[in-house]
Amino acid sequence: MQLLKHMPKGALLATLLSTAPQIASAFYLPGVAPRSYTEGELVPLNVNAIRPVAVHDAFVHSLVSYDYYHPFFQFCPPEGGPKDVSESLGSILFGDRIKTSPYELHMKKNETCKKLCPRTYHKAAAFWLNQQIRDGISINWLVDGFPAAQVYNTGSPGFLLGAEINGEVLFNNHYDIFIEYHTVTGAVAGSTEQHRVVGVNVRPESRDYKGEIKEDTCLGNQEPVRLSESGDTTVTFTYSVYWIPSTTAWATRWDKYLHVIDPKIHWFSLINSSVIVVFLVLTVMSVLIRALKKDIARYNRLDQIELEDMNGTSALEDGVQEDSGWKLVHGDVFRTPSNPLLLSIFLGSGAQLFVITGFTIALALLGFLSPSSRGSLGNIILFLFTVLGFVGGYVSARIYKSMQGEKWKLNIILTPLLVPGIVFATFFVLDLILWAKQSSEAVPFTTMLVIILIWFIISVPLSFAGSWLGFRAPMIEAPVRTNQIPRQIPPATTYLKPIPSMLLVGILPFGAIFVELYFIMSSIWFSKIYYMFGFLFLCYGLMIMTCAAATVLLVYFLLCAENYNWHWRAFLAAGTSALYIFLNCLVYWVSKLSLSGFSGSVLYIGYSLLISFLFFILTGSIGFFSSWWFVRKIYKSIKI
């Protein structure tokens, strides 16, 4: 993920951010320095988890990743056995399992047909491996921390375990490794010539060796390896290394993975979303400036005039009631909604998610999510979730107190536990499925224990502290008094009924982000690197404005229809965009994925539901707070 530099404020900021993917330079997280090698020095080649990718039919057939040294793969281990390479917590959570390998790469030293080890595959392992090859599984190597790509397919990391050609499954056992290096000159190199790795490509081949393996053996033609599912198959692993000089600088070596795919689609999406936002904002401004200003002036004028006949038949009063029914519910609009405890908990978690998302995108935009720092995204999210538990507790307490809730102890306890608990429970169930499948993406028990300790030792106490301050703060007083007897709500028109209004409002924020959502999902399920944070930043801003404007309009129409139950309606209407996200995930499942196993389908649905739930909390909170501000603004402006 490439670092996008921060720009000046004002109009220039928006212009440059929108073109960030084109003008971005390779800027790396402080502390991640390039490593230089002298000629003949050993360059480390580490192996990572083996992941499924799209095959010849452009479909992903599996979601389960495996450890490189899974028993059925039988890859050659290094002398003394493979050793784990230290990883960050975020890297482990995102499925990285990096280990040492037996491959020896010496800077600028070409080597041909180096033999590793022979392996014998029994029929059970052969059957399993052939199925993995059909599903399109990809091997992932890291040379000097840089991922290797398959020759002629340099857009994404990894290279295929094998191939299916004319119905025959071929197993790759030879690897031609092409390493591009850049020679450092000047004062940086010092007295000795220094070289840096700037590119790695691998050409996997299937070779059934007969007889002794020599240096020129790999230059000839051999029959491909076919793993027999009815007997044993002996396979010998070999590799060749070729060093290629390159003019590519170390700072730009990630650019091959970070090119913008179809930038016109991004621009079309931004223009389309911008048109929607401009239309909604203009509509809201029209309501605020024309209708509300006129209504407020008329109401205040009526309060100053002594009317002798206010029996409901005067033309002036009828006009006021017909034009704006929202003043008629001034005594009920701030009435405590149903289930204020649950609503306040959701709003506290939503505020926490809002700040987490904003900070994460901002840090990515500033370049602190460098691809060279593996797991940085997971580390940032985990850190922000832990620290910002204070925000969730504070907001939840202030909202619950303003709603005159009485179960304040329950609010303090449930705010840091309910939404994170749902997320953790879902994640744990999905992790159990990965454990059962012996997947490398299954989070180890020790890592799970560390997350729980961070949650309960740091995040929960911070949330308690925020709730304590929130309840000690002065109550947010309503600008008007609430009547003791609730006003009767008249029947609503069709478009203001709960389900139609929620569906209408929810589709607008989804429309602002659905194109960018497609690229994010492709990077997740197709194992690609996402870095278009300039577009993502703008889409996130457009989504916030769309969500706020659409919900404010809905609340205004509800109040004009004398319906004062706006609290949950605002939250649920904006949160309905999560329903469209889940439906979009189902469409993506049908159109881009072809999952062969039941477990893969359960994993996909589970992760989609998890993402949709978090989005529901986020957008619902945006809708509620914007509506809350709007309602307080208009009722504060009139004289009661």
Side-chain angles (χ1 to χ4, degrees):
M1 300 176 187
Q2 193 171 5
L3 213 137
L4 304 178
K5 294 184 177 179
H6 185 61
M7 299 296 170
K9 297 181 179 179
L12 181 61
L13 173 63
T15 304
L16 294 183
L17 284 179
S18 62
T19 58
Q22 284 75 26
I23 64 174
S25 62
F27 180 85
Y28 288 87
L29 187 69
V32 181
R35 181 177 176 182
S36 301
Y37 301 89
T38 58
E39 185 172 349
E41 186 177 354
L42 184 66
V43 179
L45 189 158
N46 296 321
V47 296
N48 202 349
I50 298 179
R51 297 187 173 93
V53 294
V55 288
H56 57 278
D57 59 357
F59 282 87
V60 172
H61 295 271
S62 175
L63 299 180
V64 181
S65 302
Y66 296 97
D67 189 277
Y68 184 86
Y69 292 107
H70 187 283
F72 277 175
F73 288 122
Q74 298 187 44
F75 289 129
C76 303
E79 187 177 351
K83 294 180 176 58
D84 292 329
V85 177
S86 60
E87 305 170 60
S88 66
L89 186 59
S91 180
I92 296 174
L93 289 176
F94 277 47
D96 286 332
R97 302 293 183 267
I98 305 175
K99 298 183 179 181
T100 56
S101 76
Y103 297 92
E104 296 182 354
L105 313 179
H106 297 273
M107 177 60 70
K108 295 185 65 177
K109 182 180 178 182
N110 294 337
E111 297 180 280
T112 306
C113 217
K114 290 195 66 175
K115 180 180 177 181
L116 282 177
C117 68
R119 290 294 192 186
T120 300
Y121 291 89
H122 302 294
K123 57 183 181 180
F127 176 82
W128 187 83
L129 278 173
N130 286 337
Q131 184 59 46
Q132 299 304 316
I133 293 173
R134 293 189 187 97
D135 288 344
I137 206 158
S138 173
I139 299 174
N140 292 278
W141 286 353
L142 298 171
V143 178
D144 186 44
F146 187 75
Q150 186 160 337
V151 176
Y152 309 124
N153 183 29
T154 58
S156 58
F159 53 93
L160 293 176
L161 174 69
E164 185 177 11
I165 302 176
N166 298 326
E168 283 190 322
V169 178
L170 308 181
F171 179 70
N172 294 328
N173 63 318
H174 174 79
Y175 309 106
D176 286 330
I177 307 171
F178 301 92
I179 305 177
E180 300 176 12
Y181 67 92
H182 176 73
T183 302
V184 182
T185 57
V188 178
S191 58
T192 59
E193 194 175 50
Q194 302 281 326
H195 312 281
R196 294 173 179 173
V197 175
V198 295
V200 184
N201 295 317
V202 177
R203 183 172 60 201
E205 295 180 349
S206 181
R207 295 177 177 271
D208 189 5
Y209 297 110
K210 305 295 183 183
E212 185 181 358
I213 299 177
K214 300 179 181 180
E215 288 190 4
D216 57 349
T217 303
C218 296
L219 302 178
N221 295 323
Q222 288 90 20
E223 286 291 318
V225 175
R226 300 174 180 88
L227 299 178
S228 174
E229 298 181 7
S230 58
D232 296 344
T233 307
T234 300
V235 178
T236 302
F237 287 92
T238 58
Y239 68 99
S240 301
V241 183
Y242 304 96
W243 295 87
I244 304 171
S246 173
T247 57
T248 303
W250 184 90
T252 59
R253 65 176 184 170
W254 284 90
D255 288 359
K256 61 185 296 185
Y257 297 131
L258 306 179
H259 61 280
V260 178
I261 303 174
D262 296 329
K264 292 182 180 179
I265 296 178
H266 291 274
W267 285 116
F268 175 78
S269 171
L270 286 175
I271 294 172
N272 177 61
S273 302
S274 300
V275 170
I276 295 175
V277 170
V278 168
F279 173 76
L280 285 173
V281 170
L282 289 178
T283 306
V284 172
M285 289 177 62
S286 175
V287 170
L288 292 175
I289 294 176
R290 298 179 58 186
L292 286 176
K293 187 176 181 180
K294 187 185 300 182
D295 293 342
I296 292 170
R298 184 182 304 155
Y299 284 138
N300 292 336
R301 187 169 61 251
L302 283 176
D303 292 333
Q304 298 171 1
I305 299 175
E306 294 182 2
L307 297 178
E308 297 179 356
D309 184 14
M310 289 293 289
N311 55 9
T313 60
S314 68
L316 185 58
E317 182 187 2
D318 290 342
V320 170
Q321 293 186 5
E322 182 179 356
D323 290 343
S324 299
W326 56 269
K327 188 186 177 184
L328 300 178
V329 295
H330 67 84
D332 299 276
V333 71
F334 291 103
R335 189 176 300 280
T336 301
S338 59
N339 298 317
L341 177 63
L342 181 62
L343 181 60
S344 63
I345 292 171
F346 280 167
L347 292 174
S349 298
Q352 185 178 357
L353 276 175
F354 179 80
V355 180
I356 289 173
T357 307
F359 269 110
T360 302
I361 296 178
L363 289 172
L365 200 62
L366 294 172
F368 286 92
L369 298 184
S370 165
S372 61
S373 179
R374 307 187 69 86
S376 55
L377 177 61
N379 293 332
I380 289 293
I381 293 176
L382 191 62
F383 172 77
L384 292 176
F385 164 77
T386 303
V387 174
L388 295 175
F390 179 88
V391 174
Y394 181 80
V395 172
S396 177
R398 291 298 301 271
I399 293 295
Y400 190 60
K401 187 175 181 179
S402 70
M403 294 178 180
Q404 299 178 351
E406 298 177 353
K407 301 177 181 179
W408 60 272
K409 293 182 180 179
L410 203 56
N411 175 272
I412 293 176
I413 295 173
L414 290 181
T415 296
L417 297 180
L418 182 61
V419 172
I422 294 174
V423 173
F424 181 81
T426 306
F427 180 77
F428 181 74
V429 171
L430 297 176
D431 206 55
L432 288 178
I433 298 175
L434 293 172
W435 275 337
K437 298 290 291 183
Q438 297 181 336
S439 172
S440 63
E441 289 190 345
V443 178
F445 175 76
T446 53
T447 304
M448 196 79 73
L449 187 61
V450 169
I451 295 174
I452 295 175
L453 291 176
I454 292 174
W455 180 14
F456 280 95
I457 294 178
I458 303 177
S459 181
V460 171
L462 285 175
S463 177
F464 287 171
S467 297
W468 182 76
L469 290 178
F471 280 116
R472 285 181 59 88
M475 179 184 293
I476 303 175
E477 299 289 345
V480 293
R481 293 190 303 270
T482 301
N483 297 333
Q484 292 183 351
I485 301 176
R487 182 186 180 89
Q488 186 176 0
I489 300 175
T493 56
T494 303
Y495 75 93
L496 285 180
K497 291 182 178 179
I499 294 180
S501 61
M502 288 164 58
L503 294 176
L504 286 173
V505 173
I507 198 172
L508 295 175
F510 170 75
I513 63 167
F514 81 98
V515 172
E516 206 61 32
L517 182 65
Y518 169 83
F519 288 99
I520 293 175
M521 292 181 65
S522 297
S523 69
I524 294 174
W525 304 118
F526 284 76
S527 300
K528 296 182 179 179
I529 298 175
Y530 180 87
Y531 84 108
M532 294 169 281
F533 296 115
F535 287 118
L536 183 60
F537 176 81
L538 293 177
C539 284
Y540 184 62
L542 290 174
M543 185 208 71
I544 294 173
M545 290 187 286
T546 307
C547 197
T551 313
V552 165
L553 277 179
L554 172 64
V555 169
Y556 174 73
F557 291 140
L558 283 175
L559 296 178
C560 287
E562 303 177 28
N563 187 343
Y564 51 84
N565 293 328
W566 61 271
H567 302 79
W568 276 107
R569 292 290 296 275
F571 184 86
L572 294 175
T576 306
S577 56
L579 173 63
Y580 290 100
I581 286 184
F582 182 70
L583 294 176
N584 180 69
C585 292
L586 296 182
V587 173
Y588 191 88
W589 182 21
V590 174
S591 60
K592 295 295 181 180
L593 306 178
S594 180
L595 304 178
S596 55
F598 174 75
S599 59
S601 301
V602 173
L603 287 170
Y604 181 81
I605 294 296
Y607 285 125
S608 299
L609 284 172
L610 191 58
I611 294 172
S612 301
F613 174 71
L614 293 175
F615 203 83
F616 166 74
I617 300 296
L618 172 63
T619 53
S621 300
I622 294 172
F624 176 88
F625 284 115
S626 57
S627 301
W628 193 37
W629 170 84
F630 170 76
V631 172
R632 291 182 60 84
K633 190 75 173 177
I634 62 174
Y635 283 98
K636 191 177 181 180
S637 303
I638 63 174
K639 298 177 182 179
I640 304 299

